Amino acid sequence: MSVIIRKSLLELVFSGAFMKRWNDKLRPMELVEVDKQAHKMIVAWLLFLLNSGSMDVARKRALGESIVEGGIFDYLYRLVITDIKPPVFYRIKENPDHYRTLTNWVLAELSPRIMPLGNEFVRRMTDYLMRPEDAGLARRILHAAHLYASYSEFKLLKSINKMDHELTEIEQSFIDRLGEMRDLAGVAELLDEENNVLGLFARMCGRLRFQKRWSQTPRVPETSVLGHLYIVAAFSWFFSMEVGACRARSQNNFFAGLFHDLPELLTRDIISPVKGSSSDIAALIHEYEDLELKRVVLDPLREGGYGEVADRLEYLLGKAVGSEFKGTIRRDGMVVEASDEKLAGEWNLDSLDPKDGPLLKVCDSLAAFIEAHTALKNGISSGQLHHALYRIRMRFNETPVVAGVQISALLADFD
């Protein structure tokens, strides 16, 4: 059965932007599920790199695939059980029969939207969700990343919820459970946010939840840059499945989506019309992003002993070819620009470490389209939102197929 990406799946992924977290606590800002998932998967990527250095290529690819898919399975599951408080959910998990009953219901709820991804995807998801006791490396990395991201949110709430009777118990639970994960390379460093560059980088990435997209345009929901990263990453994974990307290419596409707006830590979310207003302005913004990324992120990582992390970030961001939206491979130690045709054919090989570019741009544009479309559907009247939909539609009407994806036909489903 071939994989077909449909509107319902894309909207399901986006729905995490509505899902409130910590909604029984006083919050300085709305905390939503898709932001937490983005932060979780950024941390999972860091732990993946640090715990796979001694592995051969095949084992490393298998681990990366398990981490990405496991993260997606967890997210989809979470979207359905949205209002169950963690302590209640943990009690359910302690009883195998209760957990199995709940999971069967979740899978039935998800089935209409995930079936187009194929029977194998559904089988893998079912197997993963039905085995919560699995203590393999991928699952432990995801659990550590989940705890770190949730604890980061808790720290935002802590100072304004001092009268909450649950606060001490919640914090001690995070400390105890993260303490059990310190045998994983990188966990101790991530928790030492004040003194370790890896912890500082992870905390810095979490700050992208403070940056709202379309900041001058009212929207419902108000997506952040951090949440947008996860949406683009998930779209990239699903479209990689649709076009038959190899393991390395699929993983690179997911992680490239997860980091493609990382420079906005340093420049904020500069809207497309500003970037496209002139080639000189676009070049100036790009130059500033490169300089600041090197100064604030890449150089400190290298100086702190995390050169591999910096190198992979540079590759995912397409620094060697000038843009994250250009396809690449690695051959003989060199980064080479790759066309869509080559990536779909003879260069679709794990050994070449391929990464799509135009496909990533499609996912970025599609995420922006759904943000605007959803806001309009929710009653927000805005000329900027209407213009954004028109601009994206026109672009893909002119090029209806990009990197093997029938993007114009997919957009037509939103009429």
Side-chain angles (χ1 to χ4, degrees), residues 184-369:
L184 283 176
V187 169
E189 292 85 345
L190 285 169
L191 295 174
D192 188 12
E193 295 176 341
E194 301 300 327
N195 303 302
N196 185 275
V197 67
L198 196 73
L200 182 63
F201 173 66
R203 185 175 66 179
M204 192 186 303
C205 289
R207 282 174 26 210
L208 284 168
R209 65 164 46 86
F210 304 146
Q211 292 190 29
K212 298 300 179 184
R213 284 171 54 78
W214 313 70
S215 58
Q216 298 180 27
T217 305
R219 289 176 302 118
V220 176
E222 286 192 330
T223 47
S224 72
V225 172
L226 186 61
H228 172 75
L229 294 179
Y230 184 82
I231 291 165
V232 174
F235 287 1
S236 297
W237 182 260
F238 291 134
F239 283 117
S240 295
M241 291 176 61
E242 184 174 85
V243 301
C246 66
R247 265 182 170 175
R249 185 175 156 208
S250 297
Q251 290 169 42
N252 286 338
N253 289 347
F254 179 88
F255 292 124
L258 198 58
F259 287 107
H260 77 281
D261 279 339
L262 182 64
E264 291 183 10
L265 270 171
L266 317 165
T267 63
R268 299 188 185 173
D269 181 35
I270 301 173
I271 60 175
S272 297
V274 172
K275 291 178 180 176
S277 59
S278 83
S279 57
D280 289 342
I281 290 176
L284 180 65
I285 292 170
H286 189 66
E287 180 184 359
Y288 179 79
E289 286 178 344
D290 280 350
L291 289 171
E292 285 298 282
L293 189 69
K294 183 175 184 298
R295 182 181 71 85
V296 179
V297 176
L298 299 176
D299 284 351
L301 282 170
R302 288 196 171 96
E303 290 163 7
Y306 300 101
E308 182 187 5
V309 175
D311 290 345
R312 288 307 295 175
L313 276 176
E314 282 195 318
Y315 183 65
L316 295 173
L317 291 169
K319 291 305 174 187
V321 293
S323 172
E324 68 273 33
F325 297 130
K326 292 181 179 179
T328 53
I329 61 165
R330 297 176 71 94
R331 187 168 57 188
D332 300 326
M334 301 289 292
V335 177
V336 178
E337 189 171 341
S339 67
D340 288 345
E341 292 75 18
K342 289 278 192 180
L343 287 173
E346 61 191 277
W347 287 358
N348 189 29
L349 300 171
D350 284 348
S351 59
L352 294 176
D353 198 21
K355 179 186 75 70
D356 281 284
L359 181 63
L360 180 63
K361 183 61 178 175
V362 163
C363 295
D364 187 37
S365 299
L366 190 53
F369 183 93

Side-chain angles (χ1 to χ4, degrees), residues 64-112:
E65 184 175 67
S66 296
I67 289 170
V68 174
E69 273 207 334
I72 289 173
F73 297 155
D74 287 337
Y75 176 57
L76 296 178
Y77 192 94
R78 186 67 191 155
L79 290 177
V80 178
I81 64 164
T82 169
D83 291 325
I84 301 179
K85 286 187 68 170
V88 177
F89 179 61
Y90 295 145
R91 290 289 297 275
I92 292 172
K93 285 181 75 173
E94 289 171 3
N95 185 308
D97 290 337
H98 292 170
Y99 177 77
R100 192 176 303 110
T101 299
L102 176 64
T103 301
N104 279 326
W105 174 75
V106 169
L107 289 166
E109 290 291 304
L110 289 172
S111 181

